[in-house]
Amino acid sequence: MVIRGLVKNFGDTRVLNGVDLDIGAGEFITVLGPSGCGKTTLMRIIAGLERQDAGSVEIDGRPVDALRPNERDIAMVFQSYALYPHLTVFDNIALPLRMRRLSWRQRLPGMRRIDRSAQAIERGIAAKVREVAGLLQIEPLLARKPAQLSGGQKQRVAVGRAMVREPRVFLMDEPLSNLDAELRVHMRAEIAQLHRRIGVTFIYVTHDQAEAMTMSDRVVVMMGGRPLQFAPPGDVYADPEDLQVARFVGSPRINTLPGTVHAGGSIEVGGLAVPFDTGLAPGAQVTVSLRPADTKIALQTPDTAGADRAGRELAATIVHRENLGSDLFLHCRVEGIDATLVAREDPGKVGLLPVGAEIRIGLPVEHLLAFDASGRRVRPGGRMTSLAQPAAA
Amino acid sequence: MTGRGLGPTAGALRHVVLMAGAVIMLSPFVWMVLSSFKPQSEILTAELTFLPQRWAAIENYATVWTRVPMGRFLLNGAIVTASIFALQVLVNLPCAYALAKLRFRGRRALFAVVLLGLLIPIHATAIPIYILFHHAGILNTYAALILPFAISVFGIFMLRQFFMTVPDDLIDAARIDGVSEIGIVWRVMLPTAMPAVTAFGIFSVVAHWNDYFWPLIAIGTRELYTPPLGVAFFRLNDGGTEYGVLMAAATIVIMPLVAAFLLAQRRFIEGVTFTGLKG
């Protein structure tokens, strides 16, 4: 699927601002972004439910812009599941097939009892519905109405209704957001397996980074109606192209510190000169950031307070502690600059690091990410490749 | 709303008030039924008796059936109200769907016009319609009784309010599944809107079954009389009004409605509360 220059306005508000995406056949793509970033609108335009103001969508090399939703060979799973409340699970799943395979005359009430060819088609539909139901393990539910199903079951029926006509593209709009946390994790795995089994292109919209990171081949991070980065999940986390991406992906949020470019290939951060050749003019303002997992702290003791360390580490005070059991997050106020850093530590050290403790924070240059004043990533001049993809593979 | 917070005195008082209301509402109806059992002499006496001293029920009801073709009137009523309701559904559903769910230029203006239509009573348009039908040559036919009511602005409004509550996702899902817009109206909206359609159906049937004004104008021949015209036939006969017979006729005319209401009562209340709350 190829998307070129999509633009969409609602009144005076521009919700999509030039979206270009090339999506390979069979890929699992997640569109990740905060609410209001235009991801649902993008999905609705791909589905044909909304008409774009400019740009085009091609599926298998064929422009689909003029086609009605049902002619595009796509299926969609909605956040609310959108099951037909008056139909049984069987009829819900059968409906897309009935609309395609039966003529309108054969769909009239009672015609299926009279028309022999309709009966044959109906048998084919029933077989297909049962096959899909078997795959999703919802066969015992086929006679029920949607109101009698749990959230997870409704979800499966919605997936079944989308699957049954074997679309070329599967669109999912936050399909897990109405489920409880445990079921969500379970369905995440199930949808990923489903994708591997049926092998068609999936486009999955979500604001949940865990879903994006765990399920997809590639993630599109969207902000303000524009894709900021389109890369494998590991790269989006470890190698963000944009400060907004770096901030949106990762929990807790990435640490950011203001810095100034100095001549001779260094950035000054909180009084420290960090060797980092940005290639920007001296005096330029940059943002230096560091993942909490890469932020290492050490207690300030008489022997670590020596002059040799003082030039390479920031002095800070622990102001807040969060012990999650598996991780210990320390919120540290850095002296001299108005910034709070979060560091991830081993919970075993909890006794050593009380609130109020004076500590030192290192800035390991191999983990530092720098962004220019407009938020675009700047890479260190000579060390581009060594920094580029630690987790990408 | 359940009144569970009220004390026993307040609870009792609430029932007293409600029962007083019920008595006021029901008494004319009960009086009608009782009068239909009484002979003329007893109805016209000065003292008030509750139950008839001499039962004249059989006479009164027999008079109704023998003097006019009451069965024919009831059948006319059924044909007319059923046709009106069927046409109204046929027109209202697509209309309400478009007003609630489709985006098109002038939708708000169109809805304003529909609301404006709610303000215009039939009495204002009766004469133009009468003249129109006269020129069309369809006065004195079933069509004359049915067509003026084929479009109900009230119905459009009520269903539109209901449709506003139907999630857009459901409609989008149907579009993706290959259901046409007209198909969405009948396959998706109608089944989900059944409570509202039923409630509207009761309003419509009651209004047109009881309608006296328009049939009186549009119909001249007795074969096409609707039930209310049949009742009126017993008013001011040559020998004055026979109240017992008149009341019997009224009771007969009302019975199908009462039966229909009791059958559909739950759905009716469902529909009214639904549209009331969400609208």
Side-chain angles (χ1 to χ4, degrees):
Chain A
M1 178 187 306
V2 179
I3 294 169
R4 283 283 167 265
L6 275 194
V7 173
K8 175 75 187 174
N9 302 312
F10 284 132
D12 293 336
T13 345
R14 177 155 287 199
V15 274
L16 288 185
N17 192 359
V19 175
D20 297 280
L21 297 172
D22 286 272
I23 296 166
E27 257 191 308
F28 194 125
I29 299 296
T30 303
V31 183
L32 176 67
S35 44
C37 72
K39 55 191 192 304
T40 296
T41 308
L42 172 65
M43 175 86 71
R44 291 173 58 82
I45 290 174
I46 295 172
L49 295 170
E50 207 88 59
R51 195 163 281 268
Q52 65 267 36
D53 295 323
S56 71
V57 179
E58 281 177 25
I59 300 176
D60 286 350
R62 189 169 62 112
V64 295
D65 304 304
L67 298 181
R68 286 172 52 83
N70 60 315
E71 298 163 334
R72 296 189 177 196
D73 226 356
I74 43 124
M76 187 155 171
V77 177
F78 292 85
Q79 186 177 352
S80 59
Y81 318 130
L83 300 177
Y84 306 112
H86 58 288
L87 297 179
T88 61
V89 169
F90 179 93
D91 289 329
N92 260 285
I93 299 177
L95 189 112
L97 292 181
R98 290 196 175 130
M99 295 311 298
R100 297 194 147 204
R101 297 189 185 171
L102 294 170
S103 69
W104 71 269
R105 227 185 292 273
Q106 291 171 324
R107 288 198 303 263
L108 287 176
M111 274 314 269
R112 263 163 270 166
R113 225 160 284 157
I114 311 163
D115 187 334
R116 273 171 184 277
S117 59
Q119 284 166 3
I121 298 169
E122 190 65 23
R123 273 194 293 277
I125 291 172
K128 186 76 199 159
V129 171
R130 280 180 204 292
E131 182 194 323
V132 167
L135 210 66
L136 294 165
Q137 297 169 334
I138 50 172
E139 275 167 312
L141 309 176
L142 284 176
R144 294 208 200 157
K145 294 268 177 82
Q148 298 164 295
L149 302 177
S150 70
Q153 290 169 337
K154 281 184 198 168
Q155 171 69 55
R156 278 193 204 152
V157 175
V159 170
R161 184 178 63 183
M163 265 173 71
V164 75
R165 58 201 168 93
E166 296 168 356
R168 282 181 300 179
V169 182
F170 227 88
L171 304 176
M172 297 191 152
D173 187 2
E174 311 226 9
L176 304 184
S177 59
N178 287 344
L179 302 179
D180 61 57
E182 199 183 328
L183 195 54
R184 203 178 303 167
V185 173
H186 177 73
M187 289 306 291
R188 220 151 74 184
E190 228 169 69
I191 290 176
Q193 279 168 15
L194 179 72
H195 171 249
R196 276 195 291 278
R197 192 149 6 123
I198 62 180
V200 301
T201 310
F202 271 47
I203 301 179
Y204 186 101
V205 162
T206 184
H207 64 269
D208 182 320
Q209 45 170 304
E211 288 171 18
M213 301 301 276
T214 53
M215 296 163 71
S216 32
D217 296 321
R218 284 196 291 167
V219 180
V220 186
V221 184
M222 273 189 68
M223 303 260 175
R226 160 176 284 164
L228 291 180
Q229 189 165 3
F230 186 19
D235 286 9
V236 171
Y237 176 79
D239 196 20
E241 291 290 345
D242 194 287
L243 184 55
Q244 293 180 72
V245 176
R247 281 193 168 134
F248 191 73
V249 179
S251 172
R253 219 169 200 237
I254 198 165
N255 295 312
T256 55
L257 292 165
T260 313
V261 175
H262 274 210
S266 70
I267 303 174
E268 191 232 293
V269 183
L272 299 185
V274 181
F276 193 107
D277 185 9
T278 55
L280 296 173
Q285 295 299 308
V286 292
T287 304
V288 173
S289 57
L290 185 64
R291 293 280 172 200
D294 299 325
T295 308
K296 293 296 168 220
I297 66 172
L299 274 176
Q300 191 161 11
T301 55
D303 58 296
T304 58
D308 57 324
R309 303 203 59 146
R312 286 184 283 122
E313 297 185 329
L314 296 169
T317 313
I318 298 178
V319 291
H320 183 57
R321 237 173 32 169
E322 293 171 315
N323 190 352
L324 302 182
S326 58
D327 298 293
L328 174 65
F329 293 115
L330 298 166
H331 297 240
C332 314
R333 176 146 294 275
V334 179
E335 279 159 33
I337 42 175
D338 186 25
T340 306
L341 297 189
V342 177
R344 196 198 79 85
E345 277 294 339
D346 181 356
K349 292 187 188 169
V350 69
L352 296 172
L353 300 163
V355 170
E358 309 235 310
I359 49 153
R360 295 195 155 271
I361 301 173
L363 295 179
V365 78
E366 68 274 20
H367 293 307
L368 284 186
L369 307 170
F371 301 92
D372 66 14
S374 65
R376 294 309 294 173
R377 175 82 177 275
V378 267
R379 294 168 191 280
R383 314 181 345 117
M384 200 119 163
T385 44
S386 69
L387 215 150
Q389 48 269 100
Chain B
M1 288 281 262
T2 54
R4 226 170 280 153
L6 299 171
T9 339
L13 191 72
R14 196 168 50 122
H15 278 97
V16 169
V17 170
L18 288 174
M19 272 158 80
V23 167
I24 292 169
M25 302 300 266
L26 276 176
S27 53
F29 184 75
V30 171
W31 201 247
M32 172 187 80
V33 176
L34 287 174
S35 301
S36 76
F37 298 151
K38 292 175 186 173
Q40 179 83 341
S41 58
E42 224 174 287
I43 293 170
L44 295 177
T45 50
E47 70 257 37
L48 221 61
T49 51
F50 200 63
L51 284 175
Q53 280 148 355
R54 188 177 72 79
W55 286 77
I58 296 169
E59 271 164 66
N60 284 343
Y61 283 87
T63 312
V64 173
W65 287 99
T66 48
R67 201 170 302 161
V68 295
M70 203 61 199
R72 177 70 202 236
F73 296 167
L74 290 174
L75 180 69
N76 286 343
I79 291 172
V80 169
T81 47
S83 312
I84 287 175
F85 180 54
L87 281 175
Q88 282 175 336
V89 168
L90 211 63
V91 175
N92 289 359
L93 268 146
C95 239
Y97 171 67
L99 284 171
K101 291 297 179 188
L102 300 182
R103 271 180 281 160
F104 55 91
R105 202 180 286 269
R107 179 174 80 154
R108 294 176 71 111
L110 201 63
F111 185 57
V113 171
V114 168
L115 289 183
L116 200 69
L118 275 175
L119 303 178
I120 301 171
I122 172 77
H123 313 92
T125 52
I127 290 168
I129 293 176
Y130 182 86
I131 295 167
L132 184 74
F133 281 12
H134 170 74
H135 287 293
I138 57 170
L139 282 174
N140 241 339
T141 62
Y142 280 130
L145 289 173
I146 294 164
L147 287 181
F149 307 105
I151 300 169
S152 160
V153 274
F154 172 68
I156 292 172
F157 173 70
M158 187 172 155
L159 286 171
R160 183 253 183 199
Q161 296 307 93
F162 188 92
F163 285 173
M164 295 292 279
T165 67
V166 175
D168 287 342
D169 278 359
L170 195 62
I171 295 160
D172 286 338
R175 284 183 185 138
I176 287 181
D177 286 343
V179 187
S180 65
E181 294 297 315
I182 287 291
I184 289 172
V185 172
W186 302 113
R187 291 173 163 270
V188 181
M189 298 309 262
L190 176 60
T192 45
M194 269 327 273
V197 172
T198 315
F200 170 66
I202 291 178
F203 282 130
S204 163
V205 167
V206 168
H208 296 116
W209 180 269
N210 288 338
D211 187 20
Y212 178 63
F213 173 74
W214 178 252
L216 185 66
I217 295 177
I219 296 303
T221 50
R222 227 168 72 154
E223 281 65 48
L224 291 173
Y225 268 23
T226 56
L229 292 181
V231 174
F233 181 84
F234 293 99
R235 220 162 47 94
L236 296 175
N237 258 344
D238 309 330
T241 306
E242 290 172 88
Y243 286 105
V245 181
L246 180 63
M247 290 299 138
T251 307
I252 291 170
V253 164
I254 276 189
M255 275 310 145
L257 282 188
V258 174
F261 176 75
L262 290 179
L263 281 177
Q265 190 183 20
R266 237 193 51 193
R267 291 222 140 179
F268 176 68
I269 291 166
E270 241 171 48
V272 173
T273 46
F274 210 92
T275 46
L277 284 176
K278 302 276 174 82

